[in-house]
Amino acid sequence: QVHLVESGGGLVQPGGSLRLSCTISGRVSGFYVGNWYRQAPGNQREWVARISTVGSPGYADSVKGRFTISRDNAKNTVYLQMNSLKPEDTAVYYCNIWYRGNDYWGQGTQVTVSS
């Protein structure tokens, strides 16, 4: 079955940067839509970014101009480059893909932005 493995989370100061990676296993072709979501304690899960099967990105207003989603089909990996991080970006970040009519989720990785 499809399995998503995330990495790159951690603690960073305000204004800093992190790059999250989501590696997809299970012999998945490049024909999938990738998403990043985040959820802070007590909050609803929030959609952050999406990348289409052909690499077209979309972003939530809260992260536009600061985050960049990308993909490497040869590596079956979706990335989220996060710049100019703010304390309100603190959350568990989840990778999600849509593939052949089904959606799959990663385990989540903690991002903490604090001085």
Side-chain angles (χ1 to χ4, degrees):
Q1 188 58 275
V2 176
H3 184 59
L4 278 56
V5 178
E6 301 175 342
S7 62
L11 176 65
V12 66
Q13 292 184 316
S17 298
L18 285 173
R19 188 180 74 162
L20 305 183
S21 298
C22 173
T23 300
I24 303 151
S25 63
R27 200 159 67 174
V28 176
S29 75
F31 196 68
Y32 61 84
V33 176
N35 292 275
W36 288 95
Y37 290 78
R38 66 187 183 186
Q39 187 169 25
N43 290 0
Q44 184 172 308
R45 187 169 296 186
E46 174 190 19
W47 173 77
V48 173
R50 176 177 296 116
I51 188 161
S52 77
T53 57
V54 295
S56 298
Y59 303 97
D61 288 341
S62 58
V63 306
K64 281 182 180 177
R66 300 188 298 120
F67 290 12
T68 303
I69 189 170
S70 61
R71 64 192 294 158
D72 186 336
N73 288 337
K75 297 180 179 179
N76 271 345
T77 302
V78 179
Y79 303 97
L80 186 68
Q81 178 67 46
M82 305 184 294
N83 298 325
S84 301
L85 283 162
K86 305 174 181 179
E88 49 263 46
D89 295 318
T90 296
V92 177
Y93 284 71
Y94 296 91
C95 182
N96 161 268
I97 68 165
W98 283 85
Y99 181 66
R100 292 187 173 182
N102 296 303
D103 67 328
Y104 304 89
W105 293 87
Q107 78 286 353
T109 185
Q110 178 70 47
V111 172
T112 302
V113 185
S114 177
S115 59

